[in-house]
Amino acid sequence: MVLHTGHEHEKVRIEGVDLCPCSWWPRHGRVGARRRGAIARRFVSHTLPHLHAAVPRGAVLHVQGIAAAGALTLLALSIVRFRDRLVIYSPHDTFSRRGRVDGALLRLALRVPHAIIVYSHADVEVLRRQGLEAHCSPLVQIVPEVSDDEQLEWRNAWRAGTDVSVVLFAGCIRPEKRLDVLIESARHWPANRRLAVVGEDRGGWAHCTELAKAYGVDVAARVEFLELAEFAAAISAADLVVLPYDKASQSGVLAVARQLRTPTVAANVGGLRELASQTFEAGDPHDLSRAIDAQLACAVAPDLSLDENLAVKVHLLAYGQLT
């Protein structure tokens, strides 16, 4: 198996898996139209020709995520389907964040692969309404072990002793991720509760900092891209991870938190409700406060019922290697 991935990737070693850093996808640097354009140009000019040449006839090619733009997704899936390959697609989202035209192109792209694997039953239903069938697999991710010292380092950074509960927002800070709803909730928290934020700004941080300042909410923030080990340690060190999103298909943050046994609260949208410890009405800070209070009061770690064997079987079924 060859994993074709970004030129900046996690240093993981898995027996039987070779990593090919053929896609230019920088983790750092200013986010904007120029960066997106450069990524798209290099993907079309280098990565797609490379995949066409490197993946042999008759092989299974499983494309996962790749791009937010429907046009680029459509192009990629159409090209890689040549040469009698079996093309499987796992979209990060089954909806577009870029408007109606891009959404139409994404829906068209979803009709190109031979099979689709998604990571929530909610996405299965979304695709079924579009006349498409999909396999549903548990979202299982590689999560590094976190030491007590790594957890303590984060707790110290957040100025959180054993008597303080840390409520963490983790991941990209976009407007639709609704960190502002969590800040609204934090206005009424008790003194022994701390709001922490870790992740990269994708256009939502400026408004949230102004809101926090106006409300007098103290936010312990580290706004930048974090390597997987640091990111996992932050999630493990928190008492609760909150995902107040407006819209989502599934969530890698939820999957990581579950595997690290950190409780979660999420908006009741898309596939989030399938993995969260508690849910709340999306956009409602008062209901979010209720869910946070309830989860911190019960202090029960998530059930680790993710079935890795089921994930393997679902993928093999999509690949045509099980009946």
Side-chain angles (χ1 to χ4, degrees), residues 60-63 77 86-90 113-117 318-319:
V60 174
L61 180 58
H62 187 164
V63 179
L77 291 174
L86 181 66
V87 176
I88 314 298
Y89 182 42
S90 292
H114 297 93
I116 301 171
I117 299 176
Y319 300 163

Side-chain angles (χ1 to χ4, degrees), residues 233-254:
I235 289 177
S236 183
D239 296 284
L240 182 65
V241 174
V242 175
L243 294 84
Y245 305 169
D246 263 350
K247 195 173 186 180
S249 285
Q250 41 70 36
S251 170
V253 174
L254 268 180

